[in-house]
Every structure is written in C-alpha cells, then in structure tokens.
Amino acid sequence: MSFLVEENTAERRFEILVDDALAGFAAYAPRGETLVFTHTEVDDRFQGQGVGAALVRGALDQVRARGGRVVPQCTFVASFIERHPEYADLVAGEP
C-alpha cells in the first residue's frame, strides 16, 4: 500500500491518496503562515490502516518544510501531536 499526501490549496485541505485512490483529507483555514486544522476525515474503507496518521504526518511535514505553524482545532490532529511531541514546535497560539 503506497501513501501520497498532497496539498489541495483550492479546497484548503491536505489529501491522502492510497494506491492512487483518495482515502481522506485534513481541512484547514489559512491564517497567514498558520494553518488552522478544522476537520480530518478518512474513508471507511481505509479505517484502522494508519491512513489518518500518515495523512497528518505528511501535512505537518509539509507545513514544517515551508516554515509554517498550525493550530490543531481538529481533535484528530491535536491527538496526533500529543502522541508525537516532535511536532509540538509547530503549534501556534490562536491566530
């Protein structure tokens, strides 16, 4: 199974493709260089396979690479960051 995380700026979300099929997304609201993550969704067919974690990891890695920050309003993104403190430095205060 191959994962690819891409940003869809038109839809304001990061999307994950699993073997070329759209498997989920993490929606955000941009606030300057900060992205406020508002909702994460993974298709039922891909539940329990690590797709959500791969999606969030890929999105946060892309934010880090461009020097951005995040506000994890989405509980899934917030829980991921709590479990992976190596991403805690990306968390900004409320914009």
Side-chain angles (χ1 to χ4, degrees):
M1 181 170 10
S2 68
F3 297 145
L4 175 65
V5 177
E6 296 181 314
E7 185 173 10
N8 180 338
T9 55
E11 296 288 328
R12 294 185 173 172
R13 65 189 197 176
F14 286 88
E15 299 173 339
I16 189 164
L17 302 174
V18 176
D19 298 331
D20 297 322
L22 181 62
F25 65 88
Y28 63 80
R31 299 289 182 263
E33 296 299 312
T34 300
L35 298 183
V36 180
F37 281 93
T38 57
H39 179 71
T40 302
E41 192 170 305
V42 173
D43 188 284
D44 289 342
R45 299 177 294 152
F46 299 100
Q47 295 285 330
Q49 300 177 44
V51 173
L55 168 60
V56 174
R57 183 180 307 281
L60 294 177
D61 286 345
Q62 290 181 46
V63 171
R64 173 173 278 139
R66 64 180 181 230
R69 304 286 298 246
V70 302
V71 174
Q73 285 184 349
C74 166
T75 57
F76 189 85
V77 174
S79 319
F80 179 89
I81 293 171
E82 283 180 24
R83 288 189 319 275
H84 299 90
E86 65 271 23
Y87 290 103
D89 62 306
L90 294 176
V91 177
E94 286 293 328

